[in-house]
């Protein structure tokens, strides 16, 4: 069915031409003996009459489907002939309830399941010439459309591990350095969808220092690992949450009256 806008009505007005057997009658002559009928515009579902402008009452009603006329195409996969999708089944979308009311069937999209996840990682810091640097890694995932993400090292706990043990192990594996925890840092929380599940993840971070190792020994999780000055990390790191965490760590590096120092940090320690 083609729909027209009322503003285009003039172009559809044509002269009514007569049929071959004679002119088209101007009006339909009613049977004088027929009983009067109520105007169709006054009929509303649920019984009773309503005048124009009266607010609707109850649920919208529909007439029952005519007998002998199915509600859907007998072959839902049959081609339409014009390239449009097959019509499908009308009763897959709606159901006729009591008194001819339409009841919408539940949607085909199931609600997402919810789950939680936990990771732990760290900001590994070294100080050279009173200027702190941290370790960041370039991570690429399958299907990355961009140049990857620069991020802090972190990972998932193994069974039986504490958060501190997980943080140390993951940082050592992903950076190639041997590290120790100096102080806890605030955690980061975010939500993402994976495999039809909405996952709320919490990442626990710790301030760390290197005690050995080499960046060249990092595992496959990072394509590249490097030291970066704190001032440069703000523009290098991909995620806002991690940039904010670096700001917090920078504040922890400066003790009262001792700028450029970190609690319990050994300034002479170097690695990778």
């Amino acid at each position: 069915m083609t729909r027209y806008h009322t503003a285009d009505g003039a172009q559809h007005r044509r002269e009514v031409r007569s049929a071959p057997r004679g002119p088209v009658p101007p009006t339909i002559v009613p049977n004088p003996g027929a009983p009067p009928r109520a105007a169709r515009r006054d009929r509303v579902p649920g019984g009773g009459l309503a005048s124009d402008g009266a607010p609707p009452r109850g649920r919208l009603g529909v007439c029952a489907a005519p007998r002998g006329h199915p509600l859907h195409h007998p072959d839902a996969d049959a081609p339409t002939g014009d390239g449009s999708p097959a019509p499908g089944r009308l009763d897959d979308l709606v159901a006729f309830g009591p008194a001819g009311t339409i009841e919408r069937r539940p949607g085909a999209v199931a609600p997402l399941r919810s789950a939680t996840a936990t990771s732990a990682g760290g900001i590994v810091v070294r100080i050279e010439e009173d200027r702190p640097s941290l370790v960041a890694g370039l991570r690429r995932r399958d299907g990355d459309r961009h140049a990857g993400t620069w991020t802090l090292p972190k990972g998932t706990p193994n069974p039986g591990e504490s958060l501190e043990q997980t943080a140390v192990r993951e940082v050592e594996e992903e950076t190639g350095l041997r590290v120790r925890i100096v102080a806890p840092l605030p955690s980061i929380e975010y939500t993402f969808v994976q495999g039809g599940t909405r996952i709320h993840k919490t990442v626990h971070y710790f301030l760390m220092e290197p005690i050995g190792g080499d960046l060249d020994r990092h595992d496959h999780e990072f394509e590249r690992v490097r030291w970066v000055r704190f001032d440069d990390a703000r523009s290098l790191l991909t995620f806002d949450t991690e940039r904010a965490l670096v700001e917090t760590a920078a504040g922890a590096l400066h003790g009262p009256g001792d700028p450029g120092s970190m609690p319990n940090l050994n300034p002479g320690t170097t690695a990778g």
Side-chain angles (χ1 to χ4, degrees), residues 116-141:
T116 58
T118 302
S119 291
I123 297 181
V124 185
V125 179
R126 73 177 181 185
I127 296 178
E128 293 180 333
E129 300 177 356
D130 293 332
R131 297 185 64 187
S133 299
L134 60 86
V135 177
L138 175 61
R139 195 187 307 273
R140 295 185 193 271
R141 300 293 192 189

